[in-house]
Amino acid sequence: MSHPALAVTVDLVVLTVRAGALHVLLVERGEEPFLGRWALPGGFVRPDEDLPGAASRELAEETGLPRGLVHLEQVATYGAPGRDPRQRVVTVCYLALAPDLPVPRAGTDAADARWAPVADLPDLAFDHDVLLADAVERARAKLEYTPLATAFCPAEFTVAELRRVYEAVWGTTLDARNFHRKVTGAAGFLEPTGGTTTRDGGRPAGLFRRGSATTLHPPLLR
């Protein structure tokens, strides 16, 4: 029994918070199909690779971002016929989250790379608009019931800095006192370092790191 030819790719939705807004990493395609269009970084899985390895490699090759720097998790698989005009291609979408990152550099088959605000994006190549929307919603939902927001923060952060992550990802404004009460009251969410900082301005603010919890009780609902 013969089987049709099938290729597998990985595509990456890399999110960070810059200037108080949620941004995604885009690359300008340097070859056909969709030459000159903006797209998510990604590429074909090599015969000797597993999926997480391919995702890590593509992240490093196409953007210059080093491996191991970002939180990386699988979102979903997409395989609609015709999604890639070259051949039948199934792609596995990965979500990557990181603190404010430097301006990326374009890699092997990309003409350019940049951070783009999620709230103001061009039409993307392939079906990448769908992949992006699904990954952003995954991130927004997981902020409610996991400590995932700390992946956008440096190793030590203030509650105000954490609140600004939630505001950027959820696209809303949160009451500062209510937020402080909720996050410091969620068991294992935050761990005080004992240090303080004035980088937020005003009085010294306590510094925290991520605690040991893997889920939030109670959750922080949008």
Side-chain angles (χ1 to χ4, degrees):
M1 180 178 179
S2 62
H3 299 280
L6 180 70
V8 179
T9 61
V10 291
D11 287 306
L12 304 166
V13 177
V14 186
L15 300 178
T16 194
V17 176
R18 297 172 63 87
L22 185 64
H23 283 62
V24 64
L25 183 63
L26 298 181
V27 295
E28 183 183 1
R29 290 190 54 78
E31 57 185 33
E32 295 290 356
F34 304 107
L35 175 66
R37 290 272 298 276
W38 291 96
L40 299 172
F44 289 93
V45 178
R46 295 172 178 172
D48 60 346
E49 288 181 315
D50 62 6
L51 292 171
S56 295
R57 175 184 55 78
E58 284 292 340
L59 182 65
E61 287 182 356
E62 294 216 25
T63 69
L65 299 175
R67 301 187 188 199
L69 183 64
V70 301
H71 169 91
L72 192 64
E73 68 174 74
Q74 191 176 127
V75 177
T77 303
Y78 301 81
R83 60 172 304 276
D84 189 317
R86 292 169 292 189
Q87 65 180 109
R88 183 70 188 271
V89 175
V90 172
T91 195
V92 182
C93 178
Y94 279 83
L95 171 64
L97 308 177
D100 187 11
L101 293 169
V103 175
R105 62 172 175 80
T108 52
D109 58 356
D112 195 8
R114 68 181 176 98
W115 294 108
V118 169
D120 184 23
L121 291 175
D123 290 332
L124 301 181
F126 303 102
D127 54 356
H128 289 183
D129 297 285
V130 175
L131 274 62
L132 175 60
D134 290 349
V136 168
E137 179 53 33
R138 165 75 70 86
R140 287 171 173 162
K142 290 195 73 171
L143 259 61
E144 295 185 343
Y145 60 89
T146 77
L148 188 65
T150 58
F152 288 105
C153 296
E156 296 185 356
F157 51 88
T158 67
V159 170
E161 289 169 338
L162 182 64
R163 186 185 77 249
R164 288 194 286 271
V165 167
Y166 275 87
E167 291 176 334
V169 177
W170 285 350
T172 189
T173 301
L174 301 173
D175 179 79
R177 290 187 177 182
N178 191 39
F179 180 82
H180 191 287
R181 176 181 58 81
K182 287 182 176 181
V183 297
T184 56
F189 185 8
L190 303 181
E191 178 181 300
T193 67
T196 61
T197 181
T198 57
R199 63 181 179 236
D200 286 329
R203 300 172 58 185
L207 285 168
F208 295 82
R209 64 173 66 93
R210 176 175 173 167
S212 59
T214 56
T215 57
L216 300 184
H217 301 286
L220 276 69
L221 301 179
R222 281 177 274 183

